[in-house]
Amino acid sequence: MMNAMSEGTFVERDDWIGRRLELERLLARRSVFLFGPRQTGKTTYVRRQLGDTVELTFTLLDQGLLISVLADPTRIRREVEARGLRDTVVCIDEIQKCPALIDEVQLMIETRGIRFLLTGSSARALRRKGVNLLGGRGSDRVMHPFSWCELRAEGRFSLHRAINHGLLPPHYLSDDPDEELAAYVDRYLTEEVAAEGLTRNLPGFARFLQTAAATNAQLLNYSNVARDAQLPRQTVVQWYRILADTLIAVELAPFTSTVKRKAIETAKLYFFDTGVVRALRRLPPVHEASADFGEFFEHYVLHELRTWIDYRRPRTPLAFWRSRSGYEVDFILDGRVAIEAKAARRIHAKHLRGLRALAEEGLVERCIVVCREERPRIEPGTTRDIEIWPLEFFLAALWRDDLAS
């Protein structure tokens, strides 16, 4: 096995990259909704890794099947009954294309003991039509783009590639991803969102996406985005909700428990993928000397934290802290671990100001700087020592479950 490279080297191989989302044991007990943005690899994951778990799969990307079930939602139930299936796992791919199937699914759960794996890019279409999401009989999971541990296991990790290509499988593995990223932005983030009835103002939504991407990793400010995108503020508020509901972006909540230094209570917004952000902003490749490199490095660390949470510790809180006087810490994991992401190759005192200020509150148990130094070390502190960790040292500890154990 080839060693992973943390910067620009990439080992080209043709074999399948296994995903770390493990649903077998959960599906043995109950049904699962598996959501995730388009092209994260949900369909391939079901086929390649759950082949021994899923007995039968229906994909609503098949237009013939989709037209059939839209006309008659009982079709799938009748096929399951004809096969005599009981107490097994059935997958319906892209379930949001036919929300009426949820009632049929619930009936089969109750009468035949079927456990369903229901995949889709958003629960918004289901909730918008007022369907019952299995009445508590199912669990929600999210599939993310590639994670470090998946790529590292195959010798395929490159920080430069993760930042510039993004981590959606077809883009990350491409040698020339810019055209594919542009197509993804144009066809999915605009046309497909509009086609699903989420907005009819396609030019306005395209302007909004570009403006929102320019504020990636910043505090939400609806009024500024509305002004820059030449849109009504209420429209912008509604479209930000669409970004969150379709998993295109995530709001990072503020950590507001500090007393000595009052915290800002406004959320920050991050898009789900660095490559998509670069495409929306029409940026050239982001290199170490680029002005945007620090932001993209921080964004990548967020991606790994969110992926670890959804795969290993669902519903673990993740927040950020910013005081009204200007101190800031990028991430607070589970209310106990403060994490600052700095792309610097050498950490200095100025990089530690936010962590030292937060440590004085006595609310966190660990303070960590994720950076590009070569070796881990400890920076002594009067309130709490600060751990200086190279990126891959941090990621290895994260995926060993050593941070919030």
XYZ file of all heavy atoms in Angstrom, residues 167-201:
280
model
N -14.245 17.144 -2.395
C -14.190 15.746 -1.992
C -15.352 14.896 -2.489
O -15.481 13.740 -2.101
C -14.073 15.675 -0.461
C -12.689 16.103 0.034
C -12.771 16.739 1.409
C -11.732 14.927 0.041
N -16.193 15.451 -3.359
C -17.158 14.596 -4.045
C -16.387 13.584 -4.884
O -15.464 13.967 -5.624
C -18.080 15.431 -4.932
C -19.136 16.258 -4.204
C -19.789 17.238 -5.161
C -20.188 15.359 -3.570
N -16.703 12.294 -4.797
C -15.868 11.281 -5.456
C -15.506 11.547 -6.909
O -14.325 11.481 -7.269
C -16.690 9.998 -5.268
C -17.377 10.217 -3.962
C -17.746 11.672 -3.946
N -16.465 11.874 -7.809
C -16.060 12.065 -9.210
C -15.154 13.265 -9.412
O -14.335 13.277 -10.335
C -17.392 12.235 -9.948
C -18.382 12.606 -8.908
C -17.927 11.972 -7.642
N -15.265 14.277 -8.557
C -14.424 15.469 -8.697
C -13.041 15.232 -8.091
O -12.027 15.583 -8.691
C -15.091 16.670 -8.018
C -16.457 16.973 -8.543
N -17.350 17.773 -7.861
C -17.087 16.561 -9.670
C -18.472 17.855 -8.563
N -18.344 17.130 -9.642
N -13.009 14.638 -6.907
C -11.719 14.382 -6.259
C -10.846 13.466 -7.106
O -9.629 13.664 -7.208
C -11.922 13.764 -4.878
C -10.625 13.574 -4.118
C -10.094 14.615 -3.355
C -9.934 12.369 -4.179
C -8.892 14.455 -2.682
C -8.733 12.199 -3.508
C -8.219 13.245 -2.754
O -7.022 13.086 -2.090
N -11.440 12.471 -7.735
C -10.680 11.485 -8.491
C -10.359 11.936 -9.903
O -9.621 11.269 -10.622
C -11.450 10.163 -8.535
C -11.696 9.495 -7.175
C -12.623 8.297 -7.330
C -10.388 9.084 -6.521
N -10.893 13.071 -10.315
C -10.668 13.573 -11.667
C -9.322 14.292 -11.764
O -8.892 14.969 -10.830
C -11.796 14.535 -12.058
O -11.506 15.170 -13.286
N -8.682 14.150 -12.916
C -7.436 14.885 -13.161
C -7.702 16.294 -13.670
O -6.790 17.121 -13.719
C -6.562 14.128 -14.166
C -5.952 12.880 -13.552
O -5.663 12.895 -12.342
O -5.776 11.879 -14.285
N -8.912 16.577 -14.078
C -9.269 17.910 -14.565
C -10.697 18.207 -14.124
O -11.646 18.107 -14.897
C -9.153 17.970 -16.089
C -9.387 19.377 -16.624
O -9.305 20.339 -15.825
O -9.652 19.520 -17.836
N -10.871 18.589 -12.841
C -12.220 18.666 -12.272
C -12.970 19.950 -12.568
O -14.173 20.025 -12.292
C -11.948 18.572 -10.772
C -10.637 19.295 -10.611
C -9.834 18.920 -11.843
N -12.319 20.985 -13.119
C -12.978 22.288 -13.207
C -14.249 22.242 -14.053
O -15.272 22.844 -13.698
C -12.010 23.330 -13.763
C -11.001 23.779 -12.722
O -11.034 23.230 -11.590
O -10.178 24.656 -13.017
N -14.198 21.514 -15.176
C -15.392 21.427 -16.022
C -16.505 20.673 -15.304
O -17.680 21.059 -15.379
C -15.050 20.735 -17.337
C -16.212 20.708 -18.321
C -15.815 20.162 -19.675
O -14.600 20.085 -19.968
O -16.726 19.811 -20.453
N -16.143 19.608 -14.580
C -17.146 18.842 -13.851
C -17.729 19.654 -12.696
O -18.927 19.580 -12.422
C -16.527 17.550 -13.327
C -16.096 16.597 -14.434
C -15.315 15.416 -13.891
O -15.824 14.748 -12.979
O -14.202 15.172 -14.390
N -16.898 20.430 -12.018
C -17.397 21.280 -10.946
C -18.353 22.339 -11.487
O -19.398 22.619 -10.898
C -16.232 21.952 -10.214
C -15.503 21.095 -9.190
C -14.162 21.730 -8.813
C -16.352 20.899 -7.938
N -17.982 22.934 -12.628
C -18.853 23.944 -13.237
C -20.192 23.335 -13.625
O -21.252 23.940 -13.423
C -18.169 24.557 -14.455
N -20.160 22.110 -14.169
C -21.408 21.441 -14.543
C -22.243 21.128 -13.314
O -23.473 21.259 -13.335
C -21.094 20.163 -15.320
N -21.594 20.713 -12.237
C -22.311 20.407 -11.001
C -23.018 21.651 -10.476
O -24.186 21.608 -10.079
C -21.331 19.887 -9.961
C -21.970 19.392 -8.681
C -22.376 18.067 -8.558
C -22.156 20.234 -7.593
C -22.960 17.598 -7.386
C -22.744 19.778 -6.421
C -23.137 18.462 -6.323
O -23.713 18.016 -5.159
N -22.305 22.769 -10.487
C -22.882 24.031 -10.017
C -24.054 24.447 -10.901
O -25.129 24.822 -10.416
C -21.800 25.125 -9.977
C -22.427 26.505 -9.816
C -20.812 24.858 -8.839
N -23.864 24.360 -12.220
C -24.898 24.828 -13.141
C -26.113 23.910 -13.161
O -27.257 24.365 -13.141
C -24.332 24.949 -14.558
C -23.321 26.081 -14.677
O -23.347 26.969 -13.802
O -22.505 26.059 -15.607
N -25.851 22.593 -13.195
C -26.949 21.653 -13.409
C -27.678 21.281 -12.131
O -28.878 21.056 -12.144
C -26.427 20.385 -14.090
C -25.929 20.623 -15.497
C -25.321 19.367 -16.067
N -24.649 19.645 -17.335
C -23.862 18.781 -17.963
N -23.660 17.584 -17.439
N -23.283 19.110 -19.099
N -26.920 21.173 -11.038
C -27.583 20.774 -9.797
C -27.924 21.952 -8.921
O -29.076 22.176 -8.575
C -26.735 19.783 -9.014
C -27.361 19.466 -7.665
C -28.687 19.036 -7.589
C -26.664 19.639 -6.483
C -29.282 18.765 -6.375
C -27.252 19.367 -5.255
C -28.555 18.935 -5.207
O -29.148 18.691 -4.011
N -26.926 22.754 -8.595
C -27.164 23.813 -7.623
C -28.071 24.904 -8.159
O -28.560 25.719 -7.398
C -25.834 24.421 -7.167
C -24.874 23.461 -6.472
C -23.717 24.231 -5.863
C -25.571 22.657 -5.397
N -28.298 24.924 -9.449
C -29.246 25.904 -10.001
C -30.422 25.192 -10.652
O -31.543 25.220 -10.153
C -28.542 26.843 -11.007
O -27.870 26.055 -12.003
C -27.534 27.715 -10.296
N -30.174 24.478 -11.776
C -31.278 23.920 -12.550
C -32.077 22.875 -11.772
O -33.312 22.877 -11.794
C -30.743 23.324 -13.851
C -30.185 24.373 -14.809
C -29.560 23.737 -16.041
O -29.778 22.526 -16.236
O -28.867 24.447 -16.780
N -31.389 21.937 -11.104
C -32.130 20.875 -10.423
C -32.862 21.400 -9.196
O -33.955 20.937 -8.865
C -31.184 19.731 -10.042
C -30.742 18.926 -11.255
C -30.206 17.572 -10.870
O -30.607 17.056 -9.806
O -29.397 17.029 -11.630
N -32.251 22.354 -8.498
C -32.956 22.961 -7.367
C -34.224 23.646 -7.857
O -35.296 23.528 -7.268
C -32.034 23.945 -6.619
C -32.835 24.790 -5.639
C -30.933 23.180 -5.886
N -34.106 24.344 -8.983
C -35.279 25.000 -9.548
C -36.296 23.972 -10.050
O -37.508 24.134 -9.869
C -34.858 25.917 -10.689
N -35.804 22.882 -10.657
C -36.702 21.870 -11.209
C -37.523 21.187 -10.125
O -38.637 20.721 -10.380
C -35.894 20.828 -11.979
N -36.985 21.117 -8.915
C -37.721 20.513 -7.811
C -38.733 21.471 -7.201
O -39.348 21.173 -6.184
C -36.743 20.023 -6.743
C -35.919 18.828 -7.198
C -35.021 18.292 -6.119
O -35.189 18.712 -4.953
O -34.165 17.450 -6.423
N -38.870 22.647 -7.817
C -39.886 23.584 -7.368
C -39.480 24.421 -6.185
O -40.316 25.066 -5.559
N -38.172 24.419 -5.848
C -37.728 25.180 -4.689
C -37.617 26.667 -5.002
O -37.673 27.497 -4.110
C -36.389 24.631 -4.192
C -36.413 23.154 -3.796
C -35.048 22.707 -3.308
C -37.468 22.894 -2.737
N -37.424 27.000 -6.281
C -37.446 28.398 -6.696
C -37.670 28.441 -8.199
O -37.229 27.548 -8.928
C -36.135 29.132 -6.359
O -36.191 30.461 -6.891
C -34.920 28.430 -6.950
N -38.345 29.477 -8.655
C -38.546 29.653 -10.098
C -37.647 30.735 -10.664
O -37.538 30.874 -11.883
C -40.009 30.005 -10.373
C -40.986 28.890 -9.985
C -42.415 29.282 -10.278
N -43.340 28.225 -9.881
C -44.653 28.310 -9.991
N -45.204 29.408 -10.492
N -45.417 27.296 -9.610
N -37.030 31.500 -9.809
C -36.184 32.604 -10.249
C -34.754 32.101 -10.403
O -33.902 32.278 -9.526
C -36.244 33.739 -9.218
C -35.446 34.959 -9.646
O -34.787 34.963 -10.695
N -35.479 35.998 -8.833
